[in-house]
Amino acid sequence: RAAGGRATFAAMIRRALLLSLALLAPGLAAAQDCARLAHEAGVEAGLPDGLLPAISLVEAGRGTGNGGIAPWPWTLNEGGKGMYFDTREEALAYLAEALARGVTNIDIGCMQLNWKWHSAGFASPEDMIDPVRNTRYAARFMVELHNRLGSWETAAAAYHSTTPDKGQRY
């Protein structure tokens, strides 16, 4: 019984540490959620293992400060200029301002979904930047691309652009 008590106590300590980490470093938790959600959405949609997280990393990867890189959910890219915001609110404020200026060429969130081409799939900019909705939509989009183009490799390149040179790095 004592061993079980120690295991339970250790589990409580781990949960408390994880909660503290999330509270002290919400950015790190958000980045982990983005990668995890891309993985889960890919599994649910039947994508090849690791495909959607890899695309997310290429699309919204940001340095973690310790030499690593992770996809960042509060990423926008306006006309080729990538921007990483510390919070959802900051990203949404910029997005609202860009849309008010008439910008349509802006990529949003974990999967960098383009407003011009994908906004009809969302009720609002808030929904589009939501990491769960963003990654699930991207997974469905990848399935559509695969069904239309016939291979995951071609679908991955087309995720970024159907122009061959632009999709090559995928």
Side-chain angles (χ1 to χ4, degrees):
R1 181 171 185 170
R6 280 193 297 266
T8 303
F9 180 72
M12 287 177 18
I13 294 296
R14 278 192 300 275
R15 281 193 299 272
L17 287 172
L18 289 172
L19 178 60
S20 298
L21 179 61
L23 293 173
L24 294 173
L28 178 60
Q32 290 172 337
D33 283 349
C34 198
R36 178 181 55 80
L37 291 169
H39 170 77
E40 290 172 0
V43 168
E44 288 172 10
L47 303 182
D49 189 40
L51 178 61
L52 203 61
I55 291 172
S56 181
L57 190 60
V58 171
E59 289 286 345
R62 176 184 185 184
T64 60
N66 62 0
I69 187 170
W72 188 249
W74 320 131
T75 301
L76 300 175
N77 185 312
E78 181 182 346
K81 179 186 173 204
M83 297 167 277
Y84 301 97
F85 296 89
D86 290 333
T87 67
R88 175 183 182 275
E89 292 73 22
E90 290 171 353
L92 282 172
Y94 185 93
L95 180 57
E97 184 271 326
L99 295 175
R101 285 188 280 120
V103 171
T104 59
N105 185 18
I106 190 162
D107 300 330
I108 300 168
C110 293
M111 302 305 302
Q112 290 295 278
L113 300 171
N114 187 274
W115 179 262
K116 179 179 181 178
W117 303 111
H118 301 287
S119 62
F122 297 90
S124 66
E126 292 82 5
D127 279 353
M128 195 166 180
I129 203 168
D130 176 78
V132 172
R133 290 181 177 102
N134 191 279
T135 53
R136 286 188 175 154
Y137 178 97
R140 290 189 306 272
F141 180 54
M142 279 299 300
V143 169
E144 291 172 17
L145 288 170
H146 175 264
N147 291 342
R148 189 172 79 225
L149 300 171
S151 80
W152 289 114
E153 184 177 305
T154 306
Y159 182 90
H160 179 70
S161 174
T162 55
T163 304
D165 292 345
K166 292 182 179 181
Q168 194 62 36
R169 70 180 182 160
Y170 285 72

